[in-house]
Amino acid sequence: DGALKRALSLGIRFDVLLGDFDSQLLPHEDSLPQPVRIVHTPDQEKPDLAKAIEFLINEGHKAVNILWATGRRSDHYMTNMSLLGRYNNEIEMVMIDDHSRIYPLKSGFRKQYPENSNISLIPLNKVENIITKNLVWNLNGQPLEYPQVTGSSNRATGEGIVQIDFDSGVLLMMECYDLDYEIN
């Protein structure tokens, strides 16, 4: 519900408005520019994003793009990052903001990147035996474990497909873009 004003100001069409409406009054359907299903979820034990992800899972959706959930508050940011790990096995998720694309990796990840693309590998717990190829600083079986050791600010070499394999754990891919770089 906290993103309603921004979505409306940008003309983003949406079908469901879901939340506890603690940051905004519950709107009347007639005040919205298109027909919208309003789902009031007053439970304060979960953040609105968790409720939204669970709603999509229960509705049978297989994937979701989550926009701007990195927000302005660090507590929201950290909680929302943890949700990528919590629901990792139930729905494909990509979190997109003005500067990055963030998503949980499955072992066996393969993707072609332009040379010097900024890539960070951030573990949400202990990620064992990580092996990477075609990064400037490859990992050769080392673990990453938050908060002790992370794989922040790496880059693609451009010499081939970036490959990432690991044995266990929850590993986030952060494709980070400089301000002058366009997200495609």
Side-chain angles (χ1 to χ4, degrees), residues 55-79:
F55 172 84
L56 292 171
I57 292 167
N58 291 333
E59 292 283 310
H61 293 273
K62 304 293 181 207
V64 60
N65 289 326
I66 303 166
L67 304 178
W68 308 310
T70 54
R72 295 183 199 143
R73 288 181 41 183
S74 296
D75 57 339
H76 290 175
Y77 172 81
M78 292 183 76
T79 298

Side-chain angles (χ1 to χ4, degrees), residues 46-47 50 54 79 81-90 93 124 170:
K46 292 181 185 174
E54 289 175 5
T79 298
M81 289 297 108
S82 75
L83 297 177
L84 292 176
R86 185 181 309 166
Y87 297 103
N88 181 35
N89 295 321
E90 299 176 64
M93 296 172 285
L124 290 182
V170 179

Side-chain angles (χ1 to χ4, degrees), residues 5-19:
K5 284 182 186 176
R6 186 170 187 191
L8 290 171
S9 73
L10 293 171
I12 295 174
R13 181 168 165 42
F14 50 92
D15 300 311
V16 177
L17 177 59
L18 180 143

Side-chain angles (χ1 to χ4, degrees), residues 22-179:
D22 61 352
S23 61
Q24 169 151 340
L25 292 176
L26 181 65
H28 191 274
E29 289 182 50
D30 296 340
S31 68
L32 299 170
Q34 74 269 347
V36 172
R37 180 176 166 192
I38 297 177
V39 179
H40 185 219
T41 56
D43 178 6
Q44 289 294 317
E45 296 299 315
K46 292 181 185 174
D48 286 342
L49 182 56
K51 294 180 234 178
I53 293 168
E54 289 175 5
F55 172 84
L56 292 171
I57 292 167
N58 291 333
E59 292 283 310
H61 293 273
K62 304 293 181 207
V64 60
N65 289 326
I66 303 166
L67 304 178
W68 308 310
T70 54
R72 295 183 199 143
R73 288 181 41 183
S74 296
D75 57 339
H76 290 175
Y77 172 81
M78 292 183 76
T79 298
N80 290 344
M81 289 297 108
S82 75
L83 297 177
L84 292 176
R86 185 181 309 166
Y87 297 103
N88 181 35
N89 295 321
E90 299 176 64
I91 190 169
E92 296 290 324
M93 296 172 285
V94 177
M95 192 173 288
I96 302 166
D97 66 17
D98 294 335
H99 309 287
S100 56
R101 290 172 40 92
I102 306 161
Y103 49 94
L105 287 182
K106 305 278 190 235
S107 186
F109 175 84
R110 307 288 187 265
K111 185 174 178 180
Q112 181 73 47
Y113 288 95
E115 185 175 6
N116 290 321
S117 295
N118 293 316
I119 294 170
S120 291
L121 300 175
I122 306 297
L124 290 182
N125 52 16
K126 188 169 189 175
V127 180
E128 298 279 358
N129 194 30
I130 303 171
I131 299 173
T132 65
K133 292 184 181 172
N134 297 315
L135 294 176
V136 171
W137 298 283
N138 279 313
L139 296 169
N140 295 301
Q142 301 96 310
L144 294 178
E145 184 173 12
Y146 189 84
Q148 288 82 9
V149 182
T150 66
S152 183
S153 297
N154 209 330
R155 291 191 309 273
T157 62
E159 296 173 3
I161 294 173
V162 169
Q163 300 179 32
I164 303 168
D165 295 288
F166 55 95
D167 288 345
S168 62
V170 179
L171 186 61
L172 296 183
M173 165 63 79
M174 294 186 175
E175 299 170 350
C176 303
Y177 307 99
D178 292 336
L179 295 176

